[in-house]
Amino acid sequence: MSTTTRAIFSPIQVGNNNLQHRVVLAPLTRLRATLDAVPTDLQAEYYKQRASEGGLMITEGTFIHRLAGHYELAPGIYTQEQIKGWKKITSAVHEKKAVIFLQLWHLGRSGHSKWNPNGERAVSASAVPLSGKNRYGDDHEVPRPLEIDEIKVIVEQYRQAALNAIEAGFDGVELHSANGYLLDQFINSGTNHRTDIYGGSAENRARFTLEAIDAIVQAIGPERTAIRLSPGEVFQDMHDDTEVETWSHITSELQKNHPQLAYLHFVQSRANIFGNDKQIVPLNTLQPYRQIWKGPFITASGFTTAVEAGLDLAESTGNLIAFGRAFIANPDLPERLRHGWELNPYNRSTFYTQGPVGYTDYPFYNAAKN
Ligand code: PHB
C-alpha cells in the first residue's frame, strides 16, 4: 500500500527549512575522507545520491578540532581545506533541494594518544577508561580529566566549528551529545565522578552540553542549531543513575532557553548498536522527553529492521524518523518508503571500508528495474 498519505510524508518546518517529508538520513561513520580528514568527491557523490527534495540529512560525526579525536579517514571541520571539501557536498545536496546538517564530534575517552599529533592523552570528565579495545585493536587508555579552563576551550572549539560549518554551506549543525562520546561522558554518572560544577547533580553533569549549545546558538542562531542525545544508552559502557531525571533536565533547559532550536534528535537505546537484531518496539523510553520538547523531534532507533514501527511512530507522535542502515543501502529510501517498494539489504562488511564499494554502488529502485 502506498504510504504517501501517512504522517511520515507530511511537511514540517525545521529551523529555517520547510521539509517535505520526515525520513531523515541518520549520522553514520563511513570513513571515506582523506588522511587529513578532508571530505572527498566520493563523499559528495554519496550524499548527493541520498538527497531528496525537502529531505533532512545529517552528516557523519565530524571532528571539531585536531585534538577532538582522530579516526583514520573520518572528516573534520577545523581547516580551510576541510571547509572547501564540505562545500562540494553542501552544493551537491542543495542542488537537489535537500537540507543538510553537520554533526559536531569530539571523542573524549574514545580517542587515543596514538592518534594525537604530540601524543596528547585522551580526555574525559574523569579518569574512567572504556573497557575493551578500540577499533584499531588498542586497549583504551585512562583518560585525563579536563580542567575547567579546558572545558571552556572546547566550548569555543564547538562554536568555531559551527561557524566553519556555516561557511561550508551547511543549513545547521547537530551537536553530538550522545552514544558515549565526550559530552555524554560528562552527562552519565558512570563516567563522571567530578566534584566541581561539572559533576554530581544532573544539573552539573549537563552543564558542558548546555554551555556548548549556548555558544553555538550565540554564533549561528537557534534555527541552525540542533542536538543528539541518547538517554539510557549502554554503548561504550554508558550508565546513568538518574536516567529520566538527567535527560528531562536537559530537555527542559533546551525548551526553556532555546525553544527555537531546529530539532532535538534522540536515540532510543537498543541492546547493541552494531547488531542486526530486530528492534523491540515500542520501547517507548523517549516519551518523557517528547512531552517536554515542543519543537521538531527526531527518533532514531534501529528502524531498519522495524520500518513499519518507524512509520507508525511518525503517525502517533509526529516525529521525524532517522534511518541508518536502510539509508546506507537505499539511496532513494524516501521514495521507496513512499511507494512501498522493496528495500536493498545492507552489507555491514563494507560500512567502514574504503572506496565506492558498499558506499555509492547501491542501486536506485528504478535503475534496478530498468
Ligand atoms: C562509530 O563510528 O562507531 C560511531 C560514531 C558515532 C556514534 C556511534 C558510533 O554516535
Side-chain angles (χ1 to χ4, degrees):
M1 197 192 89
S2 162
T3 54
T4 344
T5 54
R6 301 188 66 170
I8 194 129
F9 286 104
S10 59
I12 184 171
Q13 175 87 16
V14 166
N16 298 323
N17 315 285
N18 293 310
L19 300 189
Q20 297 307 308
H21 63 78
R22 304 177 187 210
V23 180
V24 177
L25 173 68
L28 300 157
T29 297
R30 301 306 311 275
L31 308 180
R32 262 78 172 185
T34 70
L35 288 170
D36 292 326
V38 176
T40 56
D41 291 348
L42 185 63
Q43 281 171 279
E45 176 64 19
Y46 166 81
Y47 284 106
K48 185 176 178 179
Q49 286 180 347
R50 282 154 189 77
S52 64
E53 185 167 348
L56 173 63
M57 324 172 72
I58 305 162
T59 70
E60 59 212 275
T62 298
F63 295 122
I64 59 167
H65 189 269
R66 181 62 186 83
L67 288 177
H70 189 76
Y71 283 153
E72 214 162 58
L73 307 179
I77 186 74
Y78 53 86
T79 70
Q80 273 308 317
E81 230 196 317
Q82 291 162 355
I83 294 171
K84 217 168 110 199
W86 280 119
K87 273 185 186 160
K88 287 193 249 175
I89 293 170
T90 56
S91 322
V93 162
H94 287 151
E95 252 171 56
K96 292 178 75 177
K97 300 192 165 66
V99 172
I100 185 163
F101 274 53
L102 179 80
Q103 196 193 52
L104 301 179
W105 201 18
H106 191 308
L107 295 183
R109 69 175 188 164
S110 306
H112 198 286
S113 53
K114 190 166 151 178
W115 297 101
N116 288 338
N118 300 304
E120 294 91 337
R121 189 150 28 121
V123 296
S124 186
S126 301
V128 183
L130 191 45
S131 63
K133 297 192 184 294
N134 67 17
R135 65 196 323 147
Y136 305 104
D138 300 313
D139 287 330
H140 289 284
E141 62 192 3
V142 179
R144 185 176 63 74
L146 285 169
E147 304 285 344
I148 288 187
D149 286 356
E150 294 177 300
I151 292 174
K152 311 252 175 266
V153 169
I154 295 177
V155 166
E156 169 56 26
Q157 290 169 0
Y158 278 114
R159 198 185 72 83
Q160 184 60 51
L163 286 169
N164 293 352
I166 297 307
E167 185 184 340
F170 283 98
D171 300 295
V173 300
E174 175 181 286
L175 181 67
H176 192 344
S177 187
N179 294 346
Y181 293 104
L182 179 68
L183 295 170
D184 209 27
Q185 293 158 25
F186 273 73
I187 293 173
N188 282 267
S189 59
T191 38
N192 184 338
H193 301 167
R194 301 175 74 98
T195 53
D196 60 10
I197 55 162
Y198 290 94
S201 62
E203 194 183 353
N204 281 353
R205 287 182 275 116
R207 192 179 303 282
F208 190 178
T209 287
L210 294 173
E211 286 179 352
I213 285 289
D214 290 345
I216 296 169
V217 165
Q218 187 265 329
I220 66 171
E223 300 84 359
R224 297 194 289 190
T225 305
I227 184 169
R228 193 174 215 222
L229 298 160
S230 57
E233 181 57 81
V234 293
F235 174 56
Q236 304 209 95
D237 300 350
M238 284 299 106
H239 167 76
D240 187 48
D241 288 334
T242 59
E243 178 180 330
V244 176
E245 183 196 335
T246 303
W247 279 273
S248 294
H249 168 72
I250 296 173
T251 311
S252 302
E253 287 297 297
L254 295 171
Q255 179 63 43
K256 186 173 69 177
N257 299 324
H258 301 295
Q260 304 304 329
L261 289 188
Y263 62 82
L264 303 198
H265 183 178
F266 280 84
V267 187
Q268 183 163 272
S269 141
R270 62 189 164 112
N272 174 4
I273 75 163
F274 294 112
N276 301 316
D277 49 310
K278 282 212 177 263
Q279 171 74 326
I280 306 155
V281 275
L283 282 177
N284 249 346
T285 56
L286 299 179
Q287 217 36 38
Y289 320 114
R290 287 195 188 100
Q291 277 159 14
I292 298 168
W293 177 249
K294 307 298 177 210
F297 192 111
I298 304 180
T299 296
S301 193
F303 287 120
T304 290
T305 47
V307 170
E308 268 308 313
L311 302 183
D312 289 346
L313 189 71
E315 206 70 44
S316 61
T317 60
N319 286 182
L320 298 97
I321 305 293
F323 291 90
R325 293 163 292 163
F327 228 139
I328 286 176
N330 296 276
D332 50 353
L333 183 66
E335 272 313 279
R336 290 187 188 231
L337 296 182
R338 194 189 290 277
H339 297 289
W341 293 336
E342 67 186 304
L343 302 186
N344 299 322
Y346 63 89
N347 178 2
R348 184 177 291 278
S349 72
T350 51
F351 283 179
Y352 309 115
T353 48
Q354 295 171 38
V357 176
Y359 190 56
T360 50
D361 64 351
Y362 283 106
F364 286 73
Y365 182 78
N366 283 328
K369 297 292 139 192
N370 289 336

